[in-house]
Amino acid sequence: MKFRHSSSSFLAVFTAVLYCLSLPGARSADAQRLSQNVRPDHYTLTLTPDLKVAAFSGEETIDVTLAEAANSITLNSAEIAFQEVTVSAGGKQQTATVTSDKEKEQITFAFAEQLPAGKATLSIAYTGILNNELRGFYLSKTARRNYAVTQFESTDARRAFPSFDEPAFKATYDITLVIDAGDTAISNGPIVSDTPGPGAAKHTLKFLTTPKMSTYLVAFLVGDFQCTEGEADGVKIRGCATPDKVALTPYSVEVAKYVLHYYNTYFGIPYPLKKLDLIALPDFEAGAMENFGAITYRETAMLVDLKTASVGAKKNVALVVAHEMAHQWFGDLVTMQWWDNIWLNEGFATWMENKPVEAMHPEWNIDQMVAGDSNVTLNLDAQPTTRAIRARAETRDEIEEMFDGISYGKAGAVLLSVENFLGPETFREGVHNYLAAHLYSNATAEDFWGAQTATSHKPVDKIMESLVAQPGEPLLTFGEPAGGKVAVAQKRFFLSPSIEPDAKQKWTIPVCIKTGAPGDGHSSTGWKTGSDRQECEVLTPEASTLRAPAASLFFANAGGKGYYRSAYPASVYAALVANAESDLSPTERISLTGDEWAQLRANKATVGDYMNLVTALKDDPSAEVMASAFGGVNSIYEHVAGSAEERAALAAWMVATFGPVYARLPPPAESDSPNTRELRAHLFDVLGRAKDTAVVSQARQIAEQYLADQGSVDGTLGHTALGIAARNGDAAFFDQLQKIAETSNNPELQEGALRLLAAFEDPALVRRSLDYASSSKVRNQDALTQFAIPMQTDATRELAWTYVKDHWDTVKTLLTPELGSELVGSTGGFCSAAERDDVEAFFAGHKVPSAEHSLKHAVESINGCIELRRLQEPHLRQWIAAQGKM
Ligand SMILES: [Zn+2]
């Protein structure tokens, strides 16, 4: 699965709040696992959905094997009504007595006569509902018609068919769909027969028997989807959407063709199915879902208008397509034994998605985006409520809570550090060996690092266990390198200086010290070429020195690929800042800004120190470095500055510092690289945030021109201009954007316009946007984000929060687990004790399901902000005073 919230967005880099984040804690819950006595071998499933009345009927047989004789069989089921259940075993047929346990979402079929050990076949006739909850078998709607679609991960296959709904119960499936005559359907396998009937108004589609797979990867989608087609390595690839949007599918097919061939080569195991479909769905909660052979997407994660798309929109689609396709091997073909190891799926796909996209588009500087993402992850993992990558997940809520920044971001960063240490080809062999040993089966974390250890003959097991089983991250404090050695001390790092880490907690991690010149580091031609010039050594808990290779500059995280924070003696750090532009690669400069921001948060550096680094990087040619450096400035503006005067002084500095850099850029040209387009857009955004009057009025002009003719303005600058124009916009501009949000067929523009409605700062328009989000005109999948956006900015936060409290009866009808968590998390932007107490008191009286940990995080973020302001605001004042004297 892929989250909706791209962590690489410009301003997310350093903000304290992380949405969608919730962490499991100790909680008593009954084990809800099924018995191992009965295992499914094969499902035969015929479903007849009625899209008008939002219901379906099902006929199912499940061939099972009993290890021991039994009088009953228990499996999973939710919101299903049973008509008749029989079993045939040992040559006899019996009817079952059915009892359900709603709490556990389990159903027990009891039989008068004991079933012998061995084979048995259950036959089940039942009915279910096509719900509106974006999970199970659900209804997705457009203005024209209804669609019946599925989303089963993690535990919702049981809403569509009674099943052994756990990842290790793999089985094969024969799926048949009985649908309206004019409609089509898509499932995991290709269609093998299409016959008229039953009745004149229906036809019956049978799909090819699937390979052995987990329940959560089954999919069936019914409607009038249309597709464009392609092919790679003999596999038919289709990009499908509702008919009005099929013209926006070819880009995803192009990406999928490239990625399929890339993965076939990388994994050394051919894509295991005969076809691959990518389907964009009008209503979809997550970003995308890796159903085996039938990947589903939120429209913005798959559809692109190539004539007008921004670089960001294309990057996002390419990365999501590559992420879900990585799961076809890593997750679908070989699946984690249980949900506690979901990081194996998600961390792997998060790491893997970058490789084919980097090879396909070297000009996108994907490695720099990854370095920026690592900073976000390290900040998240430096908070006290973080968790170990592998954690307990038994109940539905605990399982859902595993899909967080730790399972994705941290696990991905850990894999990157291990790959960098072993070398890409050795790591690839380890991946191949792991997959080859568990095809169509399940595996654990130990299986993965065992394969890497056996392949590389290096202590990957110790390294990975150290990073996977312990929460948090190490801070490595280095001494002055001398005589080929450098002293190093490690301890757990917290952003907050008031937390004293447990001195006993230590890691076994690879540390790679830079040896080469800049420009050596970037590999863009696949996994076989070298990485940054470096010398790596495994730092053990006992070690207090490392080898220090001869180099003109000492930088202890080559390529920014290690999973740790670094701190240097003053003279070493000063040399790094002075030579950052000449001697560090862009990813290393991104890593350095992250380290310095961490030092500031931990009160080991001041606002002035950080601003000196930003000043040293102000002419940086890389858009990602600029975004990374500016992320901290934005946090200082939003969180450290406590008065209008301080903000005004910071804004004046931003205009004085970045205005000339922007002015020096040549005017936009057709031939501009993606980096140039993004750099220009970032600088324009910085000046817009500083309310530079010329930029604000220019933004409105560019925005109007972009809306009138999207081909006439660079899409990246156009979207940035829209953001500035909306923040400073009036009612007429609001009307204009609302119309686009309601009528545009271009998902980037449509969803973009909707999000922009939430960015207006004029109080009357903030209220109008929230009224609109509460109305039936905004899809459930989008509504709560419209509340979360104004909670991110100081200018609108209080107004939005008051609105949420005053209109809670309406807001609570929009809550789903993921989105409710997002809303609760968004309160983490406050920065005072009174506001924190208000947030806590409100949610104590108005519980949001599955958002308990989001609330803890929000409170922690507010406390972090209070502390940051208390410690750093005096330094900010000093720095401002010093600017005046310059
Ligand atoms: Zn995923």
Side-chain angles (χ1 to χ4, degrees):
M1 204 150 40
K2 179 82 179 177
F3 277 146
R4 290 172 302 123
H5 305 285
S6 164
S7 57
S8 59
S9 81
F10 177 36
L11 285 165
V13 180
F14 281 85
T15 42
V17 187
L18 250 160
Y19 303 112
C20 277
L21 195 82
S22 40
L23 305 168
R27 190 183 309 175
S28 68
D30 294 326
Q32 303 196 351
R33 303 232 201 152
L34 299 173
S35 139
Q36 296 293 315
N37 188 41
V38 186
R39 297 190 67 86
D41 301 311
H42 180 73
Y43 292 81
T44 306
L45 202 54
T46 300
L47 289 154
T48 308
D50 185 330
L51 277 55
K52 294 206 175 63
V53 304
F56 64 94
S57 61
E59 283 181 36
E60 179 184 29
T61 64
I62 314 176
D63 299 327
V64 299
T65 303
L66 283 74
E68 291 171 12
N71 274 95
S72 67
I73 294 177
T74 297
L75 56 161
N76 297 110
S77 154
E79 293 173 354
I80 278 175
F82 291 86
Q83 267 78 55
E84 190 179 25
V85 180
T86 59
V87 68
S88 72
K92 282 188 198 155
Q93 184 152 338
Q94 307 183 55
T95 299
T97 315
V98 180
T99 50
S100 73
D101 181 335
K102 276 211 171 99
E103 186 77 7
K104 290 185 175 175
E105 300 184 339
Q106 290 178 352
I107 195 89
T108 297
F109 304 143
F111 307 101
E113 277 184 56
Q114 195 175 56
L115 309 176
K119 303 276 181 201
T121 299
L122 288 164
S123 299
I124 306 166
Y126 66 96
T127 57
I129 50 165
L130 297 172
N131 68 62
N132 279 319
E133 296 169 32
L134 309 171
R135 61 177 178 157
F137 201 6
Y138 71 90
L139 214 53
S140 176
K141 296 175 185 171
T142 67
R144 272 188 321 110
R145 59 163 294 156
N146 290 351
Y147 295 80
V149 301
T150 56
Q151 166 61 38
F152 292 160
E153 193 178 23
S154 307
T155 58
D156 289 317
R158 62 192 65 172
R159 285 166 208 281
F161 58 102
S163 48
F164 297 83
D165 195 11
E166 295 180 3
F169 286 125
K170 288 198 173 186
T172 52
Y173 294 81
D174 277 318
I175 293 170
T176 300
L177 290 165
V178 180
I179 58 174
D180 290 349
D183 277 350
T184 188
I186 299 169
S187 186
N188 305 89
I191 295 171
V192 289
S193 73
D194 180 351
T195 48
K202 298 276 182 192
H203 64 141
T204 300
L205 299 184
K206 276 188 194 305
F207 295 86
L208 187 68
T209 308
T210 71
K212 270 181 82 178
M213 57 189 270
S214 305
T215 43
Y216 79 92
L217 296 167
V218 173
F220 24 89
L221 317 156
V222 180
D224 60 353
F225 298 107
Q226 291 182 7
C227 310
T228 52
E229 295 187 4
E231 190 242 283
D233 293 2
V235 175
K236 190 172 155 192
I237 298 173
R238 298 191 302 171
C240 310
T242 56
D244 54 324
K245 288 177 180 155
V246 69
L248 307 176
T249 57
Y251 180 67
S252 63
V253 175
E254 280 312 302
V255 173
K257 280 161 60 181
Y258 185 95
V259 171
L260 190 122
H261 177 69
Y262 186 100
Y263 286 166
N264 275 347
T265 315
Y266 183 90
F267 291 122
I269 295 166
Y271 173 74
L273 302 182
K274 288 200 169 16
K275 64 91 174 169
L276 173 64
D277 290 324
L278 288 64
I279 313 101
L281 299 179
D283 290 281
F284 196 77
E285 187 175 31
M289 176 63 211
E290 68 266 23
N291 313 301
F292 215 176
I295 305 172
T296 46
Y297 295 82
R298 170 175 276 248
E299 288 182 338
T300 43
M302 184 183 138
L303 304 179
V304 159
D305 184 342
L306 282 170
K307 291 191 294 296
T308 62
S310 67
V311 177
K314 284 175 71 181
K315 248 188 220 177
N316 183 44
V317 166
L319 288 167
V320 179
V321 167
H323 177 104
E324 303 309 327
M325 286 178 68
H327 280 311
Q328 303 299 302
W329 286 261
F330 218 101
D332 296 5
L333 187 55
V334 178
T335 310
M336 72 278 150
Q337 183 72 26
W338 183 253
W339 299 108
D340 59 343
N341 271 323
I342 190 65
W343 68 274
L344 260 188
N345 271 9
E346 297 305 348
F348 188 88
T350 299
W351 166 80
M352 188 80 217
E353 68 188 51
N354 302 309
K355 277 191 177 294
V357 176
E358 182 167 48
M360 191 179 183
H361 288 288
E363 75 283 8
W364 283 355
N365 299 331
I366 293 294
D367 60 334
Q368 297 176 31
M369 180 200 78
V370 170
D373 288 350
S374 286
N375 277 334
V376 175
T377 299
L378 285 161
N379 287 344
L380 167 69
D381 203 21
Q383 300 203 26
T385 52
T386 190
R387 64 171 177 91
I389 288 179
R390 179 160 61 181
R392 174 196 148 93
E394 290 296 325
T395 66
R396 177 196 177 83
D397 276 359
E398 285 170 352
I399 292 166
E400 292 302 320
E401 284 164 359
M402 296 296 279
F403 291 83
D404 65 3
I406 298 298
S407 284
Y408 287 73
K410 182 174 180 182
V414 165
L415 292 171
L416 177 68
S417 74
V418 173
E419 186 209 24
N420 183 51
F421 169 58
L422 297 182
E425 179 56 21
T426 304
F427 188 80
R428 188 202 65 77
E429 275 175 44
V431 169
H432 169 86
N433 293 345
Y434 161 79
L435 289 175
H438 304 281
L439 296 176
Y440 302 104
S441 182
N442 297 78
T444 64
E446 282 77 8
D447 293 326
F448 180 75
W449 64 59
Q452 290 291 358
T453 308
T455 310
S456 66
H457 308 291
K458 293 202 170 138
V460 181
D461 47 357
K462 290 202 178 64
I463 293 167
M464 288 202 72
E465 179 146 35
S466 156
L467 287 160
V468 167
Q470 304 189 80
E473 74 214 24
L475 169 69
L476 307 187
T477 302
F478 294 92
E480 293 265 3
K485 282 188 167 181
V486 63
V488 58
Q490 60 159 308
K491 72 174 176 185
R492 182 167 174 187
F493 177 71
F494 289 102
L495 288 176
S496 168
S498 58
I499 301 170
E500 193 48 50
D502 175 358
K504 286 197 272 288
Q505 190 178 350
K506 305 262 182 184
W507 283 261
T508 299
I509 42 162
V511 175
C512 298
I513 293 172
K514 182 179 176 70
T515 58
D520 297 341
H522 181 44
S523 135
S524 58
T525 48
W527 67 88
K528 284 181 180 162
T529 54
S531 53
D532 299 76
R533 288 222 183 137
Q534 59 186 17
E535 220 176 276
C536 299
E537 197 176 339
V538 176
L539 178 69
T540 61
E542 300 77 32
S544 58
T545 56
L546 288 171
R547 283 194 314 273
S552 55
L553 200 64
F554 180 78
F555 186 71
N557 195 348
K561 290 176 178 171
Y563 194 72
Y564 49 86
R565 287 296 188 199
S566 308
Y568 302 96
S571 58
V572 173
Y573 176 73
L576 285 170
V577 175
N579 299 291
E581 289 295 349
S582 56
D583 287 10
L584 297 182
S585 69
T587 57
E588 290 165 347
R589 297 199 291 276
I590 291 165
S591 174
L592 184 69
T593 59
D595 281 344
E596 184 60 5
W597 178 254
Q599 290 293 96
L600 178 147
R601 286 297 305 265
N603 210 33
K604 294 282 197 304
T606 65
V607 165
D609 297 331
Y610 187 80
M611 296 307 251
N612 287 344
L613 176 61
V614 175
T615 306
L617 298 175
K618 76 180 166 59
D619 291 308
D620 203 286
S622 153
E624 283 287 346
V625 174
M626 187 61 78
S628 186
F630 186 71
V633 177
N634 191 59
S635 280
I636 293 169
Y637 184 88
E638 285 281 333
H639 303 309
V640 179
S643 71
E645 292 74 28
E646 287 162 14
R647 291 213 172 105
L650 268 168
W653 177 84
M654 279 147 67
V655 173
T657 308
F658 294 104
V661 182
Y662 178 70
R664 277 199 295 278
L665 288 178
E670 201 58 46
S671 59
D672 284 343
S673 70
N675 179 65
T676 301
R677 288 166 201 260
E678 293 197 320
L679 181 62
R680 181 182 294 114
H682 283 342
L683 286 165
F684 195 60
D685 193 54
V686 168
L687 298 172
R689 280 175 197 279
K691 307 266 181 201
D692 181 284
T693 38
V695 165
V696 169
S697 75
Q698 202 194 347
R700 179 70 178 256
Q701 266 173 16
I702 296 173
E704 299 276 4
Q705 191 191 336
Y706 181 70
L707 292 178
D709 175 8
Q710 285 131 56
S712 70
V713 179
D714 167 44
T716 310
L717 186 64
H719 276 269
T720 303
L722 279 168
I724 300 170
R727 290 197 295 276
N728 298 283
D730 55 15
F733 193 53
F734 190 100
D735 292 340
Q736 206 179 343
L737 290 174
Q738 186 176 340
K739 195 165 164 220
I740 294 165
E742 286 171 4
T743 57
S744 174
N745 253 353
N746 175 336
E748 185 186 15
L749 201 56
Q750 188 274 329
E751 193 180 280
L754 183 65
R755 299 288 182 248
L756 286 169
L757 294 180
F760 280 76
E761 293 184 0
D762 178 287
L765 297 175
V766 174
R767 274 187 293 272
R768 223 181 113 186
S769 161
L770 296 173
D771 283 339
Y772 184 60
S774 320
S775 77
S776 60
K777 288 188 172 169
V778 175
R779 287 179 189 279
N780 266 2
Q781 67 172 16
D782 294 319
L784 285 178
T785 304
Q786 299 301 103
F787 287 89
I789 290 170
M791 300 282 288
Q792 288 171 30
T793 323
D794 198 60
T796 50
R797 186 176 292 123
E798 205 180 313
L799 199 57
W801 174 235
T802 305
Y803 186 100
V804 167
K805 290 188 289 184
D806 291 350
H807 297 79
W808 186 251
D809 284 345
T810 312
V811 174
K812 76 179 180 199
T813 64
L814 306 169
L815 298 174
T816 64
E818 187 184 325
L819 297 172
S821 181
E822 177 183 1
L823 180 71
V824 173
S826 73
T827 60
F830 282 117
C831 203
S832 76
E835 289 161 332
R836 174 198 62 208
D837 296 348
D838 182 44
V839 166
E840 281 191 298
F842 182 78
F843 287 120
H846 304 81
K847 293 263 188 249
V848 176
S850 316
E852 187 186 328
H853 299 288
S854 270
L855 180 59
K856 276 192 194 147
H857 268 275
V859 169
E860 187 174 281
S861 285
I862 299 173
N863 286 337
C865 186
I866 295 168
E867 184 183 46
L868 176 67
R869 184 173 287 170
R870 178 171 59 74
L871 294 171
Q872 290 288 340
E873 197 179 7
H875 293 303
L876 173 62
R877 282 199 209 105
Q878 261 173 25
W879 177 80
I880 289 170
Q883 298 308 300
K885 290 193 200 98
M886 279 176 179

